[in-house]
PDB file of all heavy atoms in Angstrom:
ATOM      1  N   GLN A 264     113.578 113.212  88.271  1.00  0.00           N
ATOM      2  CA  GLN A 264     114.957 112.823  88.283  1.00  0.00           C
ATOM      3  C   GLN A 264     115.653 112.671  86.956  1.00  0.00           C
ATOM      4  O   GLN A 264     114.909 112.264  85.895  1.00  0.00           O
ATOM      5  CB  GLN A 264     115.087 111.397  88.896  1.00  0.00           C
ATOM      6  CG  GLN A 264     114.670 111.382  90.383  1.00  0.00           C
ATOM      7  CD  GLN A 264     115.483 112.406  91.146  1.00  0.00           C
ATOM      8  OE1 GLN A 264     116.727 112.335  91.293  1.00  0.00           O
ATOM      9  NE2 GLN A 264     114.792 113.281  91.882  1.00  0.00           N
ATOM     10  N   THR A 265     116.834 112.963  86.766  1.00  0.00           N
ATOM     11  CA  THR A 265     117.627 112.935  85.478  1.00  0.00           C
ATOM     12  C   THR A 265     117.697 111.449  85.188  1.00  0.00           C
ATOM     13  O   THR A 265     117.942 110.616  86.029  1.00  0.00           O
ATOM     14  CB  THR A 265     118.968 113.466  85.562  1.00  0.00           C
ATOM     15  OG1 THR A 265     118.913 114.799  86.059  1.00  0.00           O
ATOM     16  CG2 THR A 265     119.788 113.304  84.400  1.00  0.00           C
ATOM     17  N   GLY A 266     117.255 111.006  83.891  1.00  0.00           N
ATOM     18  CA  GLY A 266     117.271 109.717  83.486  1.00  0.00           C
ATOM     19  C   GLY A 266     115.924 108.950  83.591  1.00  0.00           C
ATOM     20  O   GLY A 266     115.792 107.950  82.998  1.00  0.00           O
ATOM     21  N   CYS A 267     114.987 109.587  84.244  1.00  0.00           N
ATOM     22  CA  CYS A 267     113.603 109.025  84.277  1.00  0.00           C
ATOM     23  C   CYS A 267     112.873 109.532  83.003  1.00  0.00           C
ATOM     24  O   CYS A 267     112.703 110.744  82.866  1.00  0.00           O
ATOM     25  CB  CYS A 267     112.900 109.306  85.525  1.00  0.00           C
ATOM     26  SG  CYS A 267     111.137 108.689  85.626  1.00  0.00           S
ATOM     27  N   LEU A 268     112.511 108.714  82.074  1.00  0.00           N
ATOM     28  CA  LEU A 268     111.838 109.080  80.863  1.00  0.00           C
ATOM     29  C   LEU A 268     110.322 109.141  81.155  1.00  0.00           C
ATOM     30  O   LEU A 268     109.773 110.140  80.487  1.00  0.00           O
ATOM     31  CB  LEU A 268     112.093 108.110  79.751  1.00  0.00           C
ATOM     32  CG  LEU A 268     113.691 107.851  79.463  1.00  0.00           C
ATOM     33  CD1 LEU A 268     113.940 106.742  78.501  1.00  0.00           C
ATOM     34  CD2 LEU A 268     114.168 109.166  78.875  1.00  0.00           C
ATOM     35  N   HIS A 269     109.778 108.253  81.896  1.00  0.00           N
ATOM     36  CA  HIS A 269     108.234 108.260  82.077  1.00  0.00           C
ATOM     37  C   HIS A 269     107.924 107.262  83.174  1.00  0.00           C
ATOM     38  O   HIS A 269     108.620 106.295  83.296  1.00  0.00           O
ATOM     39  CB  HIS A 269     107.675 107.884  80.727  1.00  0.00           C
ATOM     40  CG  HIS A 269     106.208 108.022  80.688  1.00  0.00           C
ATOM     41  ND1 HIS A 269     105.497 109.216  80.791  1.00  0.00           N
ATOM     42  CD2 HIS A 269     105.175 107.037  80.745  1.00  0.00           C
ATOM     43  CE1 HIS A 269     104.194 108.993  80.754  1.00  0.00           C
ATOM     44  NE2 HIS A 269     103.966 107.612  80.898  1.00  0.00           N
ATOM     45  N   ILE A 270     106.848 107.629  83.817  1.00  0.00           N
ATOM     46  CA  ILE A 270     106.238 106.610  84.768  1.00  0.00           C
ATOM     47  C   ILE A 270     104.760 106.562  84.543  1.00  0.00           C
ATOM     48  O   ILE A 270     104.147 107.697  84.432  1.00  0.00           O
ATOM     49  CB  ILE A 270     106.639 106.960  86.231  1.00  0.00           C
ATOM     50  CG1 ILE A 270     107.993 106.968  86.480  1.00  0.00           C
ATOM     51  CG2 ILE A 270     105.868 106.087  87.144  1.00  0.00           C
ATOM     52  CD1 ILE A 270     108.508 107.287  87.934  1.00  0.00           C
ATOM     53  N   ALA A 271     104.213 105.356  84.557  1.00  0.00           N
ATOM     54  CA  ALA A 271     102.735 105.209  84.347  1.00  0.00           C
ATOM     55  C   ALA A 271     102.205 104.200  85.362  1.00  0.00           C
ATOM     56  O   ALA A 271     102.975 103.348  85.673  1.00  0.00           O
ATOM     57  CB  ALA A 271     102.442 104.752  82.881  1.00  0.00           C
ATOM     58  N   VAL A 272     101.018 104.360  85.770  1.00  0.00           N
ATOM     59  CA  VAL A 272     100.461 103.483  86.800  1.00  0.00           C
ATOM     60  C   VAL A 272      99.125 103.008  86.318  1.00  0.00           C
ATOM     61  O   VAL A 272      98.322 103.825  85.777  1.00  0.00           O
ATOM     62  CB  VAL A 272     100.428 104.068  88.173  1.00  0.00           C
ATOM     63  CG1 VAL A 272      99.452 105.219  88.281  1.00  0.00           C
ATOM     64  CG2 VAL A 272     100.141 103.065  89.215  1.00  0.00           C
ATOM     65  N   GLN A 273      98.830 101.703  86.480  1.00  0.00           N
ATOM     66  CA  GLN A 273      97.409 101.193  86.279  1.00  0.00           C
ATOM     67  C   GLN A 273      96.965 100.577  87.570  1.00  0.00           C
ATOM     68  O   GLN A 273      97.686  99.858  88.278  1.00  0.00           O
ATOM     69  CB  GLN A 273      97.514 100.105  85.248  1.00  0.00           C
ATOM     70  CG  GLN A 273      97.756 100.497  83.781  1.00  0.00           C
ATOM     71  CD  GLN A 273      97.649  99.335  82.832  1.00  0.00           C
ATOM     72  OE1 GLN A 273      98.206  98.335  83.182  1.00  0.00           O
ATOM     73  NE2 GLN A 273      97.004  99.454  81.813  1.00  0.00           N
ATOM     74  N   ARG A 274      95.632 100.752  87.669  1.00  0.00           N
ATOM     75  CA  ARG A 274      94.987 100.007  88.755  1.00  0.00           C
ATOM     76  C   ARG A 274      94.027  98.891  88.138  1.00  0.00           C
ATOM     77  O   ARG A 274      93.254  99.315  87.200  1.00  0.00           O
ATOM     78  CB  ARG A 274      94.191 100.839  89.832  1.00  0.00           C
ATOM     79  CG  ARG A 274      93.531 100.017  90.765  1.00  0.00           C
ATOM     80  CD  ARG A 274      92.936 100.900  91.946  1.00  0.00           C
ATOM     81  NE  ARG A 274      92.271 100.037  92.782  1.00  0.00           N
ATOM     82  CZ  ARG A 274      91.299 100.370  93.630  1.00  0.00           C
ATOM     83  NH1 ARG A 274      90.876 101.503  93.622  1.00  0.00           N
ATOM     84  NH2 ARG A 274      90.794  99.486  94.476  1.00  0.00           N
ATOM     85  N   LEU A 275      94.196  97.761  88.498  1.00  0.00           N
ATOM     86  CA  LEU A 275      93.359  96.728  87.926  1.00  0.00           C
ATOM     87  C   LEU A 275      91.899  96.840  88.422  1.00  0.00           C
ATOM     88  O   LEU A 275      91.740  96.980  89.616  1.00  0.00           O
ATOM     89  CB  LEU A 275      93.874  95.360  88.050  1.00  0.00           C
ATOM     90  CG  LEU A 275      95.336  95.088  87.548  1.00  0.00           C
ATOM     91  CD1 LEU A 275      95.771  93.755  87.924  1.00  0.00           C
ATOM     92  CD2 LEU A 275      95.313  95.321  86.119  1.00  0.00           C
ATOM     93  N   ALA A 276      90.934  96.818  87.591  1.00  0.00           N
ATOM     94  CA  ALA A 276      89.532  96.983  88.018  1.00  0.00           C
ATOM     95  C   ALA A 276      89.126  95.932  89.002  1.00  0.00           C
ATOM     96  O   ALA A 276      89.473  94.734  88.950  1.00  0.00           O
ATOM     97  CB  ALA A 276      88.657  96.850  86.729  1.00  0.00           C
ATOM     98  N   ASN A 277      88.394  96.502  89.942  1.00  0.00           N
ATOM     99  CA  ASN A 277      87.812  95.624  91.072  1.00  0.00           C
ATOM    100  C   ASN A 277      88.878  94.844  91.985  1.00  0.00           C
ATOM    101  O   ASN A 277      88.549  93.944  92.517  1.00  0.00           O
ATOM    102  CB  ASN A 277      86.858  94.573  90.518  1.00  0.00           C
ATOM    103  CG  ASN A 277      85.731  95.182  89.662  1.00  0.00           C
ATOM    104  OD1 ASN A 277      85.243  96.207  90.169  1.00  0.00           O
ATOM    105  ND2 ASN A 277      85.276  94.612  88.666  1.00  0.00           N
ATOM    106  N   GLU A 278      90.179  95.395  91.925  1.00  0.00           N
ATOM    107  CA  GLU A 278      91.153  94.805  92.727  1.00  0.00           C
ATOM    108  C   GLU A 278      92.009  95.966  93.309  1.00  0.00           C
ATOM    109  O   GLU A 278      91.878  97.133  92.872  1.00  0.00           O
ATOM    110  CB  GLU A 278      92.076  93.975  91.815  1.00  0.00           C
ATOM    111  CG  GLU A 278      91.514  92.721  91.232  1.00  0.00           C
ATOM    112  CD  GLU A 278      92.570  91.952  90.539  1.00  0.00           C
ATOM    113  OE1 GLU A 278      93.707  91.825  90.981  1.00  0.00           O
ATOM    114  OE2 GLU A 278      92.288  91.434  89.497  1.00  0.00           O
ATOM    115  N   SER A 279      92.612  95.631  94.374  1.00  0.00           N
ATOM    116  CA  SER A 279      93.524  96.678  94.976  1.00  0.00           C
ATOM    117  C   SER A 279      95.009  96.394  94.504  1.00  0.00           C
ATOM    118  O   SER A 279      95.886  96.250  95.268  1.00  0.00           O
ATOM    119  CB  SER A 279      93.419  96.813  96.359  1.00  0.00           C
ATOM    120  OG  SER A 279      93.573  95.487  97.043  1.00  0.00           O
ATOM    121  N   ARG A 280      95.151  96.152  93.193  1.00  0.00           N
ATOM    122  CA  ARG A 280      96.454  95.750  92.563  1.00  0.00           C
ATOM    123  C   ARG A 280      96.780  96.786  91.632  1.00  0.00           C
ATOM    124  O   ARG A 280      96.013  97.166  90.805  1.00  0.00           O
ATOM    125  CB  ARG A 280      96.422  94.387  92.022  1.00  0.00           C
ATOM    126  CG  ARG A 280      97.749  93.785  91.725  1.00  0.00           C
ATOM    127  CD  ARG A 280      97.817  92.355  91.336  1.00  0.00           C
ATOM    128  NE  ARG A 280      97.318  92.265  89.964  1.00  0.00           N
ATOM    129  CZ  ARG A 280      97.458  91.231  89.109  1.00  0.00           C
ATOM    130  NH1 ARG A 280      98.045  90.187  89.502  1.00  0.00           N
ATOM    131  NH2 ARG A 280      97.004  91.256  87.923  1.00  0.00           N
ATOM    132  N   PHE A 281      98.043  97.217  91.717  1.00  0.00           N
ATOM    133  CA  PHE A 281      98.596  98.245  90.873  1.00  0.00           C
ATOM    134  C   PHE A 281      99.784  97.799  90.083  1.00  0.00           C
ATOM    135  O   PHE A 281     100.563  96.947  90.516  1.00  0.00           O
ATOM    136  CB  PHE A 281      99.030  99.484  91.702  1.00  0.00           C
ATOM    137  CG  PHE A 281      97.903 100.194  92.426  1.00  0.00           C
ATOM    138  CD1 PHE A 281      97.438  99.704  93.603  1.00  0.00           C
ATOM    139  CD2 PHE A 281      97.421 101.410  91.936  1.00  0.00           C
ATOM    140  CE1 PHE A 281      96.406 100.319  94.265  1.00  0.00           C
ATOM    141  CE2 PHE A 281      96.450 102.032  92.603  1.00  0.00           C
ATOM    142  CZ  PHE A 281      95.935 101.536  93.712  1.00  0.00           C
ATOM    143  N   ILE A 282      99.907  98.219  88.797  1.00  0.00           N
ATOM    144  CA  ILE A 282     101.050  97.936  88.004  1.00  0.00           C
ATOM    145  C   ILE A 282     101.664  99.260  87.628  1.00  0.00           C
ATOM    146  O   ILE A 282     101.044 100.155  87.112  1.00  0.00           O
ATOM    147  CB  ILE A 282     100.636  97.185  86.689  1.00  0.00           C
ATOM    148  CG1 ILE A 282      99.969  95.786  87.112  1.00  0.00           C
ATOM    149  CG2 ILE A 282     101.947  96.854  85.942  1.00  0.00           C
ATOM    150  CD1 ILE A 282      99.571  95.005  85.970  1.00  0.00           C
ATOM    151  N   LEU A 283     103.029  99.470  88.059  1.00  0.00           N
ATOM    152  CA  LEU A 283     103.764 100.582  87.838  1.00  0.00           C
ATOM    153  C   LEU A 283     104.743 100.381  86.715  1.00  0.00           C
ATOM    154  O   LEU A 283     105.501  99.211  86.794  1.00  0.00           O
ATOM    155  CB  LEU A 283     104.392 100.931  89.181  1.00  0.00           C
ATOM    156  CG  LEU A 283     105.087 102.300  89.279  1.00  0.00           C
ATOM    157  CD1 LEU A 283     104.075 103.519  89.093  1.00  0.00           C
ATOM    158  CD2 LEU A 283     105.769 102.320  90.677  1.00  0.00           C
ATOM    159  N   TYR A 284     104.622 101.084  85.695  1.00  0.00           N
ATOM    160  CA  TYR A 284     105.592 101.033  84.591  1.00  0.00           C
ATOM    161  C   TYR A 284     106.653 102.235  84.749  1.00  0.00           C
ATOM    162  O   TYR A 284     106.177 103.436  84.649  1.00  0.00           O
ATOM    163  CB  TYR A 284     104.990 101.068  83.278  1.00  0.00           C
ATOM    164  CG  TYR A 284     103.946  99.817  83.093  1.00  0.00           C
ATOM    165  CD1 TYR A 284     102.708 100.080  83.331  1.00  0.00           C
ATOM    166  CD2 TYR A 284     104.511  98.738  82.548  1.00  0.00           C
ATOM    167  CE1 TYR A 284     101.855  99.010  83.208  1.00  0.00           C
ATOM    168  CE2 TYR A 284     103.675  97.606  82.414  1.00  0.00           C
ATOM    169  CZ  TYR A 284     102.279  97.849  82.745  1.00  0.00           C
ATOM    170  OH  TYR A 284     101.393  96.731  82.499  1.00  0.00           O
ATOM    171  N   GLU A 285     107.879 102.009  84.778  1.00  0.00           N
ATOM    172  CA  GLU A 285     108.992 103.014  84.889  1.00  0.00           C
ATOM    173  C   GLU A 285     109.864 102.834  83.641  1.00  0.00           C
ATOM    174  O   GLU A 285     110.427 101.733  83.342  1.00  0.00           O
ATOM    175  CB  GLU A 285     109.749 102.908  86.240  1.00  0.00           C
ATOM    176  CG  GLU A 285     108.848 103.033  87.296  1.00  0.00           C
ATOM    177  CD  GLU A 285     109.620 102.965  88.686  1.00  0.00           C
ATOM    178  OE1 GLU A 285     110.836 103.357  88.719  1.00  0.00           O
ATOM    179  OE2 GLU A 285     109.134 102.399  89.652  1.00  0.00           O
ATOM    180  N   PHE A 286     110.139 103.947  83.089  1.00  0.00           N
ATOM    181  CA  PHE A 286     111.044 103.999  81.752  1.00  0.00           C
ATOM    182  C   PHE A 286     112.313 104.809  82.222  1.00  0.00           C
ATOM    183  O   PHE A 286     112.174 105.946  82.533  1.00  0.00           O
ATOM    184  CB  PHE A 286     110.348 104.624  80.575  1.00  0.00           C
ATOM    185  CG  PHE A 286     109.148 103.784  80.214  1.00  0.00           C
ATOM    186  CD1 PHE A 286     107.941 103.936  80.853  1.00  0.00           C
ATOM    187  CD2 PHE A 286     109.251 102.893  79.077  1.00  0.00           C
ATOM    188  CE1 PHE A 286     106.795 103.156  80.432  1.00  0.00           C
ATOM    189  CE2 PHE A 286     108.174 102.276  78.753  1.00  0.00           C
ATOM    190  CZ  PHE A 286     106.845 102.333  79.325  1.00  0.00           C
ATOM    191  N   TRP A 287     113.470 104.131  82.147  1.00  0.00           N
ATOM    192  CA  TRP A 287     114.768 104.783  82.626  1.00  0.00           C
ATOM    193  C   TRP A 287     115.736 104.726  81.500  1.00  0.00           C
ATOM    194  O   TRP A 287     115.698 103.876  80.625  1.00  0.00           O
ATOM    195  CB  TRP A 287     115.332 104.008  83.853  1.00  0.00           C
ATOM    196  CG  TRP A 287     114.410 104.164  84.983  1.00  0.00           C
ATOM    197  CD1 TRP A 287     113.411 103.286  85.349  1.00  0.00           C
ATOM    198  CD2 TRP A 287     114.414 105.215  85.905  1.00  0.00           C
ATOM    199  NE1 TRP A 287     112.882 103.820  86.458  1.00  0.00           N
ATOM    200  CE2 TRP A 287     113.334 105.036  86.904  1.00  0.00           C
ATOM    201  CE3 TRP A 287     115.215 106.394  86.074  1.00  0.00           C
ATOM    202  CZ2 TRP A 287     113.075 105.772  87.943  1.00  0.00           C
ATOM    203  CZ3 TRP A 287     114.869 107.150  87.127  1.00  0.00           C
ATOM    204  CH2 TRP A 287     113.904 106.937  88.016  1.00  0.00           C
ATOM    205  N   GLU A 288     116.552 105.852  81.356  1.00  0.00           N
ATOM    206  CA  GLU A 288     117.544 105.896  80.191  1.00  0.00           C
ATOM    207  C   GLU A 288     118.407 104.646  80.175  1.00  0.00           C
ATOM    208  O   GLU A 288     118.772 104.241  79.057  1.00  0.00           O
ATOM    209  CB  GLU A 288     118.358 107.150  80.473  1.00  0.00           C
ATOM    210  CG  GLU A 288     117.683 108.334  80.036  1.00  0.00           C
ATOM    211  CD  GLU A 288     118.636 109.638  80.172  1.00  0.00           C
ATOM    212  OE1 GLU A 288     119.761 109.510  80.556  1.00  0.00           O
ATOM    213  OE2 GLU A 288     118.099 110.675  79.823  1.00  0.00           O
ATOM    214  N   HIS A 289     118.847 104.055  81.255  1.00  0.00           N
ATOM    215  CA  HIS A 289     119.553 102.818  81.175  1.00  0.00           C
ATOM    216  C   HIS A 289     119.681 102.218  82.695  1.00  0.00           C
ATOM    217  O   HIS A 289     119.184 102.882  83.575  1.00  0.00           O
ATOM    218  CB  HIS A 289     121.038 102.996  80.674  1.00  0.00           C
ATOM    219  CG  HIS A 289     121.778 104.191  81.237  1.00  0.00           C
ATOM    220  ND1 HIS A 289     122.528 103.985  82.406  1.00  0.00           N
ATOM    221  CD2 HIS A 289     121.995 105.428  80.817  1.00  0.00           C
ATOM    222  CE1 HIS A 289     123.028 105.257  82.649  1.00  0.00           C
ATOM    223  NE2 HIS A 289     122.807 106.092  81.730  1.00  0.00           N
ATOM    224  N   ASN A 290     120.208 101.053  82.750  1.00  0.00           N
ATOM    225  CA  ASN A 290     120.048 100.191  83.914  1.00  0.00           C
ATOM    226  C   ASN A 290     120.834 101.054  85.116  1.00  0.00           C
ATOM    227  O   ASN A 290     120.314 100.927  86.301  1.00  0.00           O
ATOM    228  CB  ASN A 290     120.900  98.947  83.678  1.00  0.00           C
ATOM    229  CG  ASN A 290     120.507  97.826  84.722  1.00  0.00           C
ATOM    230  OD1 ASN A 290     119.429  97.812  85.288  1.00  0.00           O
ATOM    231  ND2 ASN A 290     121.523  96.945  84.873  1.00  0.00           N
ATOM    232  N   ASN A 291     122.015 101.663  84.908  1.00  0.00           N
ATOM    233  CA  ASN A 291     122.721 102.271  85.889  1.00  0.00           C
ATOM    234  C   ASN A 291     121.899 103.482  86.641  1.00  0.00           C
ATOM    235  O   ASN A 291     121.911 103.729  87.793  1.00  0.00           O
ATOM    236  CB  ASN A 291     123.990 102.747  85.484  1.00  0.00           C
ATOM    237  CG  ASN A 291     124.977 101.618  85.235  1.00  0.00           C
ATOM    238  OD1 ASN A 291     124.784 100.602  85.741  1.00  0.00           O
ATOM    239  ND2 ASN A 291     125.985 101.884  84.353  1.00  0.00           N
ATOM    240  N   VAL A 292     121.197 104.204  85.785  1.00  0.00           N
ATOM    241  CA  VAL A 292     120.312 105.251  86.262  1.00  0.00           C
ATOM    242  C   VAL A 292     119.309 104.746  87.233  1.00  0.00           C
ATOM    243  O   VAL A 292     119.045 105.281  88.184  1.00  0.00           O
ATOM    244  CB  VAL A 292     119.721 106.031  85.037  1.00  0.00           C
ATOM    245  CG1 VAL A 292     118.627 107.007  85.654  1.00  0.00           C
ATOM    246  CG2 VAL A 292     120.763 106.756  84.248  1.00  0.00           C
ATOM    247  N   TRP A 293     118.655 103.571  86.792  1.00  0.00           N
ATOM    248  CA  TRP A 293     117.691 103.059  87.691  1.00  0.00           C
ATOM    249  C   TRP A 293     118.312 102.473  89.004  1.00  0.00           C
ATOM    250  O   TRP A 293     117.731 102.678  90.071  1.00  0.00           O
ATOM    251  CB  TRP A 293     116.890 101.890  86.980  1.00  0.00           C
ATOM    252  CG  TRP A 293     115.785 101.123  87.736  1.00  0.00           C
ATOM    253  CD1 TRP A 293     114.694 101.743  88.205  1.00  0.00           C
ATOM    254  CD2 TRP A 293     115.846  99.799  88.141  1.00  0.00           C
ATOM    255  NE1 TRP A 293     113.981 100.911  88.974  1.00  0.00           N
ATOM    256  CE2 TRP A 293     114.606  99.660  88.921  1.00  0.00           C
ATOM    257  CE3 TRP A 293     116.662  98.743  88.139  1.00  0.00           C
ATOM    258  CZ2 TRP A 293     114.281  98.508  89.467  1.00  0.00           C
ATOM    259  CZ3 TRP A 293     116.293  97.593  88.619  1.00  0.00           C
ATOM    260  CH2 TRP A 293     115.084  97.383  89.311  1.00  0.00           C
ATOM    261  N   LYS A 294     119.393 101.970  88.887  1.00  0.00           N
ATOM    262  CA  LYS A 294     120.049 101.404  90.179  1.00  0.00           C
ATOM    263  C   LYS A 294     120.404 102.589  90.999  1.00  0.00           C
ATOM    264  O   LYS A 294     120.221 102.457  92.260  1.00  0.00           O
ATOM    265  CB  LYS A 294     121.313 100.570  89.684  1.00  0.00           C
ATOM    266  CG  LYS A 294     121.038  99.205  89.225  1.00  0.00           C
ATOM    267  CD  LYS A 294     122.331  98.491  88.901  1.00  0.00           C
ATOM    268  CE  LYS A 294     122.112  97.166  88.275  1.00  0.00           C
ATOM    269  NZ  LYS A 294     123.234  96.472  87.943  1.00  0.00           N
ATOM    270  N   ASN A 295     120.863 103.674  90.477  1.00  0.00           N
ATOM    271  CA  ASN A 295     121.060 104.886  91.343  1.00  0.00           C
ATOM    272  C   ASN A 295     119.840 105.390  92.002  1.00  0.00           C
ATOM    273  O   ASN A 295     119.761 105.777  93.120  1.00  0.00           O
ATOM    274  CB  ASN A 295     121.701 106.006  90.566  1.00  0.00           C
ATOM    275  CG  ASN A 295     123.188 105.628  90.157  1.00  0.00           C
ATOM    276  OD1 ASN A 295     123.847 104.720  90.799  1.00  0.00           O
ATOM    277  ND2 ASN A 295     123.705 106.179  89.078  1.00  0.00           N
ATOM    278  N   HIS A 296     118.767 105.370  91.202  1.00  0.00           N
ATOM    279  CA  HIS A 296     117.410 105.810  91.654  1.00  0.00           C
ATOM    280  C   HIS A 296     116.990 105.002  92.858  1.00  0.00           C
ATOM    281  O   HIS A 296     116.356 105.507  93.871  1.00  0.00           O
ATOM    282  CB  HIS A 296     116.393 105.705  90.518  1.00  0.00           C
ATOM    283  CG  HIS A 296     114.998 105.418  90.894  1.00  0.00           C
ATOM    284  ND1 HIS A 296     114.231 106.310  91.479  1.00  0.00           N
ATOM    285  CD2 HIS A 296     114.332 104.244  90.900  1.00  0.00           C
ATOM    286  CE1 HIS A 296     113.014 105.770  91.801  1.00  0.00           C
ATOM    287  NE2 HIS A 296     113.113 104.473  91.412  1.00  0.00           N
ATOM    288  N   LEU A 297     117.240 103.689  92.855  1.00  0.00           N
ATOM    289  CA  LEU A 297     116.831 102.784  94.027  1.00  0.00           C
ATOM    290  C   LEU A 297     117.560 103.247  95.325  1.00  0.00           C
ATOM    291  O   LEU A 297     116.977 102.867  96.358  1.00  0.00           O
ATOM    292  CB  LEU A 297     117.103 101.309  93.706  1.00  0.00           C
ATOM    293  CG  LEU A 297     116.334 100.713  92.515  1.00  0.00           C
ATOM    294  CD1 LEU A 297     116.809  99.283  92.238  1.00  0.00           C
ATOM    295  CD2 LEU A 297     114.840 100.712  92.931  1.00  0.00           C
ATOM    296  N   GLN A 298     118.600 103.925  95.158  1.00  0.00           N
ATOM    297  CA  GLN A 298     119.406 104.279  96.471  1.00  0.00           C
ATOM    298  C   GLN A 298     118.952 105.672  96.920  1.00  0.00           C
ATOM    299  O   GLN A 298     119.448 106.062  97.995  1.00  0.00           O
ATOM    300  CB  GLN A 298     120.925 104.290  96.088  1.00  0.00           C
ATOM    301  CG  GLN A 298     121.439 102.976  95.674  1.00  0.00           C
ATOM    302  CD  GLN A 298     121.120 101.777  96.667  1.00  0.00           C
ATOM    303  OE1 GLN A 298     121.287 102.012  97.758  1.00  0.00           O
ATOM    304  NE2 GLN A 298     120.543 100.696  96.081  1.00  0.00           N
ATOM    305  N   THR A 299     118.097 106.300  96.267  1.00  0.00           N
ATOM    306  CA  THR A 299     117.598 107.664  96.735  1.00  0.00           C
ATOM    307  C   THR A 299     116.622 107.469  97.885  1.00  0.00           C
ATOM    308  O   THR A 299     116.117 106.423  98.097  1.00  0.00           O
ATOM    309  CB  THR A 299     116.866 108.376  95.619  1.00  0.00           C
ATOM    310  OG1 THR A 299     115.675 107.658  95.237  1.00  0.00           O
ATOM    311  CG2 THR A 299     117.739 108.709  94.365  1.00  0.00           C
ATOM    312  N   ASN A 300     116.585 108.536  98.739  1.00  0.00           N
ATOM    313  CA  ASN A 300     115.763 108.550  99.969  1.00  0.00           C
ATOM    314  C   ASN A 300     114.329 108.339  99.633  1.00  0.00           C
ATOM    315  O   ASN A 300     113.642 107.555 100.337  1.00  0.00           O
ATOM    316  CB  ASN A 300     115.971 109.847 100.748  1.00  0.00           C
ATOM    317  CG  ASN A 300     117.311 109.968 101.427  1.00  0.00           C
ATOM    318  OD1 ASN A 300     117.923 108.912 101.704  1.00  0.00           O
ATOM    319  ND2 ASN A 300     117.805 111.177 101.618  1.00  0.00           N
ATOM    320  N   TYR A 301     113.778 109.008  98.562  1.00  0.00           N
ATOM    321  CA  TYR A 301     112.305 108.803  98.246  1.00  0.00           C
ATOM    322  C   TYR A 301     112.013 107.404  97.856  1.00  0.00           C
ATOM    323  O   TYR A 301     110.989 106.817  98.125  1.00  0.00           O
ATOM    324  CB  TYR A 301     111.896 109.892  97.243  1.00  0.00           C
ATOM    325  CG  TYR A 301     112.454 109.608  95.892  1.00  0.00           C
ATOM    326  CD1 TYR A 301     111.817 108.818  94.923  1.00  0.00           C
ATOM    327  CD2 TYR A 301     113.654 110.346  95.435  1.00  0.00           C
ATOM    328  CE1 TYR A 301     112.278 108.608  93.647  1.00  0.00           C
ATOM    329  CE2 TYR A 301     114.099 110.098  94.176  1.00  0.00           C
ATOM    330  CZ  TYR A 301     113.413 109.270  93.257  1.00  0.00           C
ATOM    331  OH  TYR A 301     113.892 109.081  92.017  1.00  0.00           O
ATOM    332  N   SER A 302     112.895 106.704  97.098  1.00  0.00           N
ATOM    333  CA  SER A 302     112.736 105.403  96.709  1.00  0.00           C
ATOM    334  C   SER A 302     112.768 104.413  97.845  1.00  0.00           C
ATOM    335  O   SER A 302     111.973 103.481  97.952  1.00  0.00           O
ATOM    336  CB  SER A 302     113.857 104.980  95.616  1.00  0.00           C
ATOM    337  OG  SER A 302     113.622 103.670  95.130  1.00  0.00           O
ATOM    338  N   LYS A 303     113.718 104.656  98.822  1.00  0.00           N
ATOM    339  CA  LYS A 303     113.839 103.841  99.928  1.00  0.00           C
ATOM    340  C   LYS A 303     112.676 104.037 100.795  1.00  0.00           C
ATOM    341  O   LYS A 303     112.129 103.001 101.421  1.00  0.00           O
ATOM    342  CB  LYS A 303     115.161 104.123 100.755  1.00  0.00           C
ATOM    343  CG  LYS A 303     116.380 103.582  99.859  1.00  0.00           C
ATOM    344  CD  LYS A 303     117.624 103.942 100.800  1.00  0.00           C
ATOM    345  CE  LYS A 303     118.800 103.453 100.155  1.00  0.00           C
ATOM    346  NZ  LYS A 303     120.143 103.740 100.859  1.00  0.00           N
TER     347      LYS A 303
END
């Protein structure tokens, strides 16, 4: 997607917990991203 700079994911050892880091050009781009079909 335009405006997505990078996405990284970590899984914590011995847990089924994930931390997702998303880097977006600015707040409005991310808000628009949240309205996309794949995000929903």
Side-chain angles (χ1 to χ4, degrees):
Q264 296 303 306
T265 302
C267 180
L268 300 172
H269 185 70
I270 296 181
V272 66
Q273 284 185 318
R274 179 174 180 200
L275 300 179
N277 303 321
E278 293 182 43
S279 55
R280 195 167 76 156
F281 293 78
I282 301 176
L283 188 61
Y284 298 95
E285 301 180 33
F286 298 78
W287 295 92
E288 281 184 359
H289 50 83
N290 199 32
N291 290 337
V292 173
W293 181 63
K294 286 179 180 177
N295 291 338
H296 149 75
L297 291 176
Q298 300 307 312
T299 61
N300 288 335
Y301 69 88
S302 179
K303 288 180 179 181

